[in-house]
């Protein structure tokens, strides 16, 4: 007797995920690996900036406020500049913020840098949603978002061990890790992907395309 897997009537066949998605997957993993999460940001500020615990707590709170604002601003940015533009802005903002955190010790300047660093940590997320929506058919959205969730969790699982090891040597290695991963994500965003893959409908507006028109 032969058994066949049943398929839901009208269901679309599963398709391979396109190259542009795997670029996004890798970028999300790198971003989550290198991001200065609040706990390590506090340790870095305490070790390298010489500021008191009270000010450090305020700066960590400012970072959190920036991360909330970044999620809101990211959608507007992706709509205006396209997904790739939003990712590039977020990563170069992270690089600039980390450079300031490493170079200055004035609390007011550190507060501005912490705000930007927090904003950059979430600014790219709506752009990832745009990429999935445009590059994949609707039937693959659940799988794609699940994989992106895994990418974020894998990066979050590895980050504490890597960050702790680097912090034991020097807090500035944490900044170097953040800058390196941000540059790598920006490089992935700039790579030209071919056809976004099956399931894409009519041509999307230029402002929300991952691939820049030439």
């Amino acid at each position: 007797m032969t058994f066949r897997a049943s398929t839901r009537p009208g269901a679309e066949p599963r398709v391979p995920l396109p190259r542009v998605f795997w670029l996004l997957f890798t970028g999300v993993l790198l971003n989550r690996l290198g991001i200065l999460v609040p706990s390590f940001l506090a340790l870095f500020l305490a070790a390298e900036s010489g500021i008191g615990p009270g000010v450090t707590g305020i700066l960590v709170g400012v970072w959190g406020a920036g991360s909330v604002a970044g999620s809101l601003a990211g959608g507007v940015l992706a709509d205006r500049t396209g997904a790739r533009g939003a990712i590039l802005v977020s990563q170069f903002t992270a690089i600039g913020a980390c450079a300031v955190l490493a170079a200055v010790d004035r609390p007011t300047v550190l507060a501005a840098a912490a705000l930007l660093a927090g904003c950059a940590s979430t600014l790219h997320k709506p752009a990832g949603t745009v990429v999935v929506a445009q590059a994949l058919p609707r039937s693959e959205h659940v799988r794609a978002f699940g994989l992106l969730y895994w990418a974020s969790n894998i990066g979050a699982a590895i980050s504490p061990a890597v960050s702790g090891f680097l912090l034991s040597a020097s807090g500035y290695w944490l900044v170097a890790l953040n800058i390196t991963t941000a540059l790598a994500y920006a490089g992935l965003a700039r790579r030209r992907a071919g056809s976004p893959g099956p399931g894409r409908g009519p041509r999307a507006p230029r402002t929300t395309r991952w691939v820049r028109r030439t």
Side-chain angles (χ1 to χ4, degrees), residues 67-169:
S67 67
V68 174
S71 297
L72 300 175
V76 177
L77 184 63
D79 185 61
R80 292 181 177 274
T81 67
R84 181 166 66 174
I87 291 174
L88 290 173
V89 169
S90 70
Q91 298 312 299
F92 285 116
T93 300
I95 292 170
C98 283
V100 173
L101 287 172
V104 302
D105 55 8
R106 293 180 56 186
T108 53
V109 180
L110 288 174
L115 182 68
L116 287 176
C119 185
S121 69
T122 56
L123 194 64
H124 66 98
K125 291 185 176 180
T129 303
V130 172
V131 174
V132 171
Q134 291 184 349
L136 279 74
R138 185 173 298 178
S139 61
E140 299 299 323
H141 285 182
V142 172
R143 178 162 65 117
F145 285 122
L147 287 170
L148 290 180
Y149 182 78
W150 272 101
S152 179
N153 282 347
I154 292 171
I158 299 173
S159 179
V162 175
S163 298
F165 174 77
L166 294 176
L167 187 63
S168 65

Side-chain angles (χ1 to χ4, degrees), residues 42 45 51-63:
L45 292 172
I51 59 178
V55 177
T56 298
I58 293 174
L59 293 178
V60 171
V62 170
W63 187 98

Side-chain angles (χ1 to χ4, degrees), residues 29-37 39-40 43 154-181:
L29 192 154
L30 288 170
N31 181 82
R32 197 66 183 86
L33 169 64
I35 194 172
L36 275 174
V37 296
S39 56
F40 285 100
L43 292 173
I154 292 171
I158 299 173
S159 179
V162 175
S163 298
F165 174 77
L166 294 176
L167 187 63
S168 65
S170 172
Y172 291 106
W173 283 110
L174 286 178
V175 175
L177 175 65
N178 198 336
I179 291 176
T180 301
T181 54

